Amino acid sequence: MQLSVVIPVYNVKKYLHIAVQSVLFQDIEDMEIILVDDGSTDGSGKCCDELALRYPCIRVIHQQNGGLSSARNTGIKAAKGDYLMFLDSDDWWNPDVKVNEILDIAHTRPSIQMFLLSGYDYYEGDGLYIRKDAEMLGKIDTSGGKQYYESLMKYANYQMSPATKVFRRSFIIDNDLFFEAGITGEDNRWMMLVLRKLRYVQVLNVLLHVYRRNREGSITSSIKRKNIEDLLGIIKTSQFEIEQGAVPKEIQDCEKSFCAYLWFCALGLVRKISAKDRETLYPLFQETADVCRYSYARKTKLAYVTYRVFGIRIVSWVFGTYISLNGKHKLNQMRVSDGSDYCFYTDV
């Protein structure tokens, strides 16, 4: 088996066919698509079964609702391919990219554990924008795992999404790289674990993944106190693991820099929850703030100085405003089309 594509499914009946058809459109020989129905209640599970009846390469696994991490882990364990890719069921693949060509490159580089790609952000009713990190791909040092990690931190190009990667499945399985269940922001924790093990990586200047940014009902469309607690929990876990020697010494500063980024992300999200919840979280921010001293990124260093001078409440307001503007106005992103030619597929 050449490629396994894991697609977790939960109440996405409206979008599921677009995601699946975008993978089928690639016409990849020796491929399996694993649809993990995570206890959907909107008929998505039935849609999965109908697709499997129509296309032999589709396998469906139904399970009780366990969350995104659980669904992805189920897909990883069931996968049989030499290579592993992830796609969320409300996103899709750019039809102009040939995944077969990516796999051909992978075959010639058997030591590479992960290939990094990029993609587009799609805003409903607005259009398709080139992702801001795409222009930075050529600057990333891939001479080793540590060098790659340092480049991501230096250029504030954090690359957490599993959907912009092609993994050698043996790398994931041999290193027991499964998603942590029960937390939000699971991509952050998972990529932190991946980066601890990664030694051989290659960057491909390919815009494959199309991310639906503002879908109503998506996990990122509503921020709750738990989202922020989980981000700070990831930081606390990392701090403990560094103290215990579980993180390789050569990348400990990189991981602290990663944590600094997560800390300021969490601080920016604080403005989206109630004032009462904010006050209960501020002590946890102060407890974990030490990681911000290690940031490689210029913006985060400046933000840390601002925090030390003006305090947590003012900085949280500034970051909350920045995140809000960034989401509404697609700062520094180039619009390439209205997206209509990228998101609707004929039957294949």
Side-chain angles (χ1 to χ4, degrees), residues 62-327:
H62 298 282
Q63 65 177 35
Q64 292 184 343
N65 180 250
L68 181 57
S69 292
S70 173
R72 284 177 175 162
N73 289 341
T74 297
I76 292 171
K77 292 172 184 177
K80 300 177 180 178
D82 298 313
Y83 304 100
L84 183 64
M85 298 181 71
F86 298 92
L87 178 64
D88 287 348
S89 48
D90 53 349
D91 300 337
W92 67 95
W93 283 355
N94 174 8
D96 293 337
V97 172
K98 305 302 181 186
V99 174
N100 271 322
E101 295 178 0
I102 298 173
L103 297 175
D104 287 343
I105 294 172
H107 285 313
T108 65
R109 302 293 306 277
S111 65
I112 300 299
Q113 299 161 320
M114 185 188 87
F115 293 86
L116 173 65
L117 318 173
S118 188
Y120 298 97
D121 289 329
Y122 175 69
Y123 296 84
E124 195 87 41
D126 188 348
L128 202 69
Y129 289 75
I130 295 177
R131 198 165 294 162
K132 288 186 292 186
D133 60 19
E135 65 184 45
M136 306 297 294
L137 294 183
K139 299 181 180 180
I140 297 175
D141 186 347
T142 59
S143 59
K146 176 187 176 184
Q147 291 80 2
Y148 172 76
Y149 205 163
E150 287 177 341
S151 290
L152 297 185
M153 298 304 104
K154 178 181 177 181
Y155 295 115
N157 190 3
Y158 299 97
Q159 297 293 343
M160 273 87 69
S161 173
T164 57
K165 319 288 189 305
V166 180
F167 291 96
R168 195 167 295 276
R169 185 173 64 89
S170 59
F171 168 67
I172 300 298
I173 298 300
D174 293 348
N175 290 290
D176 200 27
L177 293 171
F178 293 96
F179 292 83
E180 183 173 336
I183 65 169
T184 57
E186 62 285 320
D187 290 357
N188 299 296
R189 173 62 177 168
W190 188 70
M191 191 50 59
M192 191 177 285
L193 299 177
V194 168
L195 288 167
R196 291 179 188 177
K197 300 293 184 178
L198 190 66
R199 298 294 180 269
Y200 306 105
V201 58
Q202 182 170 345
V203 175
L204 300 177
N205 189 19
V206 174
L207 303 176
L208 174 65
H209 179 238
V210 184
Y211 175 42
R212 195 183 299 271
R213 291 286 296 184
N214 57 345
R215 176 176 72 83
E216 184 177 353
S218 67
I219 294 174
T220 56
S221 64
S222 59
I223 300 299
K224 299 180 176 61
R225 173 176 168 172
K226 178 172 170 54
N227 298 89
I228 300 168
E229 287 178 329
D230 285 347
L231 284 176
L232 295 175
I234 291 170
I235 294 170
K236 288 196 69 174
T237 299
S238 171
Q239 289 176 317
F240 174 78
E241 289 171 341
I242 288 173
E243 291 173 359
Q244 296 299 308
V247 181
K249 288 185 178 180
E250 64 268 19
I251 63 166
Q252 286 183 1
D253 284 350
C254 291
E255 187 158 314
K256 290 175 183 178
S257 181
F258 194 170
C259 287
Y261 163 76
L262 296 180
W263 193 91
F264 279 105
C265 284
L267 191 60
L269 295 175
V270 157
R271 308 306 301 179
K272 296 180 179 291
I273 63 176
S274 70
K276 180 180 178 180
D277 282 341
R278 286 201 296 270
E279 290 301 321
T280 62
L281 287 175
Y282 283 144
L284 186 54
F285 275 103
Q286 292 166 336
E287 182 182 340
T288 53
D290 184 64
V291 296
C292 300
R293 297 191 296 113
Y294 297 91
S295 176
Y296 285 30
R298 183 178 58 84
K299 286 183 180 179
T300 310
K301 289 179 180 179
L302 179 61
Y304 180 61
V305 172
T306 306
Y307 156 70
R308 293 299 300 270
V309 173
F310 295 103
I312 195 166
R313 290 168 178 79
I314 290 178
V315 176
S316 69
W317 181 85
V318 172
F319 266 69
T321 302
Y322 173 79
I323 289 175
S324 178
L325 289 173
N326 192 48

